[in-house]
Amino acid sequence: MVGLLAGKGAIVTGGASGIGEACSETLAREGASVLITDIDDLRGKEVVARIAKAGGTAHYLRHDVRDEAAWPGVLAEAEKRFGRLDIMVANAGIGIMAPIAEMTLADWQKQQAINLDGVFLSIKHAIPAMKKQ
């Protein structure tokens, strides 16, 4: 059912690979304009190019989901490009695979900050923009 999301604006964190990449491509295929955020610039730009080649609309923005000060700029970019935000896919996440006895506290905190704080921040900052719709 192509076009189900025509005219909708979306942000996908961690959109350069894996589940986020699949979400970005699916949203674009269904007509949404997608702002892909990630820290993997090369893969993020490749996903955007693939979406554009298929006739969709996507843009890439380098963004670390742990950085709360950056979130207003991410939302402003989506609203500037698409005029609205309807969909927030809080997908960015990592898995540091190590036995607990060998994992450093810094690695644990990084993983928690991306996987938990990043989701909290994405939803916290997306709600005001989404309420406008």
Side-chain angles (χ1 to χ4, degrees):
M1 195 179 278
V2 178
L4 184 65
L5 300 175
K8 304 292 184 186
I11 296 173
V12 179
T13 67
S17 63
I19 294 169
E21 178 180 8
C23 289
S24 297
E25 291 175 342
T26 301
L27 289 166
R29 186 173 53 251
E30 290 297 332
S33 298
V34 184
L35 180 62
I36 297 168
T37 77
D38 208 299
I39 59 169
D40 188 338
D41 297 336
L42 179 62
R43 289 190 70 174
K45 292 173 183 176
E46 288 172 353
V47 174
V48 167
R50 248 190 344 271
I51 289 170
K53 186 176 180 182
T57 301
H59 301 279
Y60 173 75
L61 181 66
R62 180 176 183 79
H63 174 231
D64 182 335
V65 295
R66 300 172 292 177
D67 182 2
E68 183 167 17
W71 272 104
V74 172
L75 275 294
E77 183 71 14
E79 289 183 305
K80 178 182 90 173
R81 289 193 177 272
F82 313 140
R84 58 189 295 141
L85 179 66
D86 304 281
I87 302 161
M88 175 74 238
V89 180
N91 170 75
I94 63 169
I96 299 174
M97 304 308 290
I100 289 178
E102 297 171 18
M103 182 182 273
T104 65
L105 179 59
D107 281 346
W108 173 257
Q109 290 172 332
K110 177 182 179 181
Q111 180 174 265
Q112 297 304 341
I114 293 169
N115 295 352
L116 299 177
D117 299 347
V119 172
F120 165 77
L121 292 171
S122 65
I123 302 308
K124 174 186 175 182
H125 289 279
I127 287 172
M130 293 176 78
K131 279 186 171 181
K132 295 176 189 174
Q133 305 320 312

